[in-house]
């Protein structure tokens, strides 16, 4: 009976997350379960060489937080990837979940986004680029000293992060706060919705690359403090344009 209730709970949570992931999608974007979304994100990171053979993934709870799903969904996704031979799970003090030495090529291919979905995400990136420039412009005009201090604190958190999961959470807070600081009223809500939809395609990225990307954030805060609208907008444009060049993956 207990297992049946647990299975039903798992299914309800996955359904709720899947509805969130599928809400308001652009044409071309596939509707998939939350578990399948996690499998795709990790699978694509491995396919692109962002996660290397033998590399240890963050703990299950951190994977859940980093990819905005429940711990149950993260556990089920990792277990499924282990069954497929994409990752291996080891017990003991040095245990955890690791990328397999030779992940099956065909399995990884099946976990990738379709060409139509890739094109849809690229259109979403273009939409974000427009929003990013707009909110940055007005954040340079309207951001309070408290908001600027919090943005700086978030850059420090990202600089000290040791894995993609924690970095991603701080990065999301950073960009949301830039939007809020713009004081663009309902347009901020649309910007946040666009960010959330795009972050559904975030895939794990090497932490050293993310730390390099954080230099853009640091420079942006300096430009916002100086009320230098032109410099701030150009920094944001380059950050998004260079960082989001393919499906979900290069969200930094």
């Amino acid at each position: 009976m207990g297992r049946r209730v647990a299975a039903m709970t798992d299914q309800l949570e996955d359904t709720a997350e899947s509805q969130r992931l599928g809400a308001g999608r652009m044409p071309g974007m596939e509707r998939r379960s939350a578990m399948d979304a996690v499998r795709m994100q990790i699978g694509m990171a491995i396919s692109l060489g962002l996660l290397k053979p033998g590399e240890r993934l963050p703990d299950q709870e951190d994977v859940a937080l980093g990819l905005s799903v429940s711990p149950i969904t993260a556990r089920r996704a990792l277990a499924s990837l282990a069954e497929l031979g994409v990752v291996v799970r080891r017990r003991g003090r040095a245990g955890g979940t690791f990328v397999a030495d030779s992940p099956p090529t065909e399995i990884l291919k099946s976990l990738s986004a379709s060409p139509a979905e890739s094109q849809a995400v690229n259109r979403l990136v273009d939409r974000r680029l427009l929003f990013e420039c707009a909110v940055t412009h007005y954040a340079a005009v309207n951001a309070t000293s408290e908001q600027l201090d919090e943005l700086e604190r978030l850059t420090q958190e990202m600089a000290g992060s040791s894995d993609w999961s924690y970095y991603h959470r701080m990065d999301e807070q950073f960009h949301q706060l830039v939007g809020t600081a713009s004081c663009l009223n309902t347009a901020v809500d649309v910007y946040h919705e666009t960010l959330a939809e795009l972050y559904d395609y975030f895939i794990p990225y090497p932490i050293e690359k993310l730390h390099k990307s954080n230099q853009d954030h640091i420079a942006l805060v300096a430009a916002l403090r100086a009320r230098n609208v032109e410099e701030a907008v150009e920094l944001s444009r380059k950050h998004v344009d260079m960082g989001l060049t393919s499906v979900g993956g290069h969200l930094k």
Side-chain angles (χ1 to χ4, degrees):
M1 181 67 176
R3 288 185 178 180
R4 184 177 180 183
V5 171
M8 291 174 66
T9 302
D10 286 3
Q11 185 175 9
L12 285 171
E13 289 198 17
D14 191 58
T15 299
E17 289 174 343
S18 299
Q19 289 174 343
R20 174 185 62 80
L21 292 173
R25 287 196 176 279
M26 293 179 67
M29 288 186 172
E30 298 178 10
R31 293 181 179 273
R32 55 173 57 83
S33 70
M35 185 184 79
D36 284 342
V38 172
R39 296 194 324 157
M40 181 194 75
Q41 289 165 298
I42 293 175
M44 287 185 64
I46 295 171
S47 293
L48 292 169
L50 304 178
L51 290 176
K52 308 290 186 183
E55 184 171 340
R56 188 183 190 279
L57 273 64
D59 292 338
Q60 174 182 301
E61 292 75 14
D62 289 329
V63 170
L65 289 169
L67 299 182
S68 301
V69 297
S70 70
I72 291 173
T73 296
R75 172 174 57 78
R76 293 173 62 204
L78 292 173
S80 174
L81 290 172
E83 290 175 0
L84 294 170
V86 175
V87 301
V88 294
R89 311 183 86 173
R90 299 172 188 153
R91 298 182 181 276
R93 183 173 298 179
T97 302
F98 300 81
V99 179
D101 291 336
S102 300
T105 304
E106 288 304 312
I107 296 295
L108 290 179
K109 190 179 298 184
S110 71
L111 295 173
S112 299
S114 67
E117 191 167 20
S118 297
Q119 291 176 5
V121 175
N122 285 332
R123 289 196 297 271
L124 188 59
V125 169
D126 290 340
R127 181 191 294 178
R128 181 196 169 179
L129 183 58
L130 290 173
F131 274 122
E132 201 74 47
C133 291
V135 299
T136 300
H137 177 112
Y138 286 97
V141 175
N142 296 320
T144 66
S145 58
E146 291 80 7
Q147 288 171 328
L148 291 170
D149 288 345
E150 176 62 9
L151 287 171
E152 185 172 346
R153 186 191 71 80
L154 289 169
T155 65
Q156 293 170 354
E157 290 288 327
M158 284 184 272
S161 61
S162 59
D163 63 62
W164 57 265
S165 174
Y166 187 75
Y167 180 98
H168 177 49
R169 296 187 330 254
M170 297 304 101
D171 175 79
E172 186 170 14
Q173 291 180 35
F174 180 93
H175 288 289
Q176 286 177 341
L177 182 53
V178 172
T180 300
S182 72
C183 300
L184 286 177
N185 301 320
T186 56
V188 176
D189 295 334
V190 181
Y191 168 69
H192 286 168
E193 289 169 3
T194 300
L195 271 184
E197 190 171 354
L198 201 48
Y199 277 139
D200 286 342
Y201 285 86
F202 171 86
I203 61 176
Y205 211 85
I207 191 62
E208 62 273 11
K209 298 289 188 182
L210 294 175
H211 285 161
K212 184 177 180 180
S213 176
N214 189 41
Q215 295 303 311
D216 292 347
H217 297 141
I218 294 170
L220 176 59
V221 174
L224 293 176
R225 282 196 187 279
R227 306 299 178 184
N228 190 329
V229 173
E230 184 176 350
E231 182 180 355
V233 170
E234 182 61 12
L235 283 166
S236 285
R237 185 195 67 78
K238 288 183 177 179
H239 181 69
V240 177
D241 196 38
M242 294 177 66
L244 301 171
T245 54
S246 68
V247 165
H250 306 262
L251 277 174
K252 298 175 283 187

